[in-house]
Amino acid sequence: MIRLSSEKISEELKNLPGWSVKDEKLHKDFEFESFNQAFGFMTRAAMEIEKMNHHPEWFNVYNRISVDLMTHDAGGITENDIQLAKILNSLL
């Protein structure tokens, strides 16, 4: 995988509602009505994540989930990260 340029990332962010770049990673905070809804989202996401074999950094407290995406082998954000962000948004 090839690391994306800042310009390409900015272009992709226009089609990724709620996502931004934070600490050189794609970042989004999700908030749900309950822990069950947050956990359900994580469960659905896990199935897609495993298919891609591309695992996020995520953190869950009650009804909130923070997600950071980057490709360690490429040293930054790649198309895999963009694709996973799109999948996560589609699961809402």
Side-chain angles (χ1 to χ4, degrees), residues 19-36:
W19 290 88
S20 62
V21 175
K22 181 178 177 183
D23 298 326
E24 298 185 39
K25 300 173 186 176
L26 283 183
H27 175 83
K28 184 171 181 177
D29 293 315
F30 295 86
E31 187 169 343
F32 300 88
E33 290 184 24
S34 67
F35 173 76
N36 282 340

Side-chain angles (χ1 to χ4, degrees), residues 39-90:
F39 195 85
F41 171 81
M42 291 177 77
T43 302
R44 290 187 309 278
M47 304 300 265
E48 298 300 321
I49 289 163
E50 278 298 306
K51 287 179 193 174
M52 289 183 72
N53 193 29
H54 188 60
H55 302 88
E57 297 173 13
W58 59 7
F59 181 75
N60 166 243
V61 175
Y62 183 57
N63 68 332
R64 295 181 316 271
I65 302 167
S66 293
V67 179
D68 289 308
L69 303 175
M70 64 136 351
T71 303
H72 294 278
D73 291 344
I77 298 167
T78 67
E79 285 293 336
N80 274 358
D81 302 302
I82 300 296
Q83 185 60 35
L84 183 51
K86 289 177 182 178
I87 289 169
L88 294 177
N89 276 1
S90 77

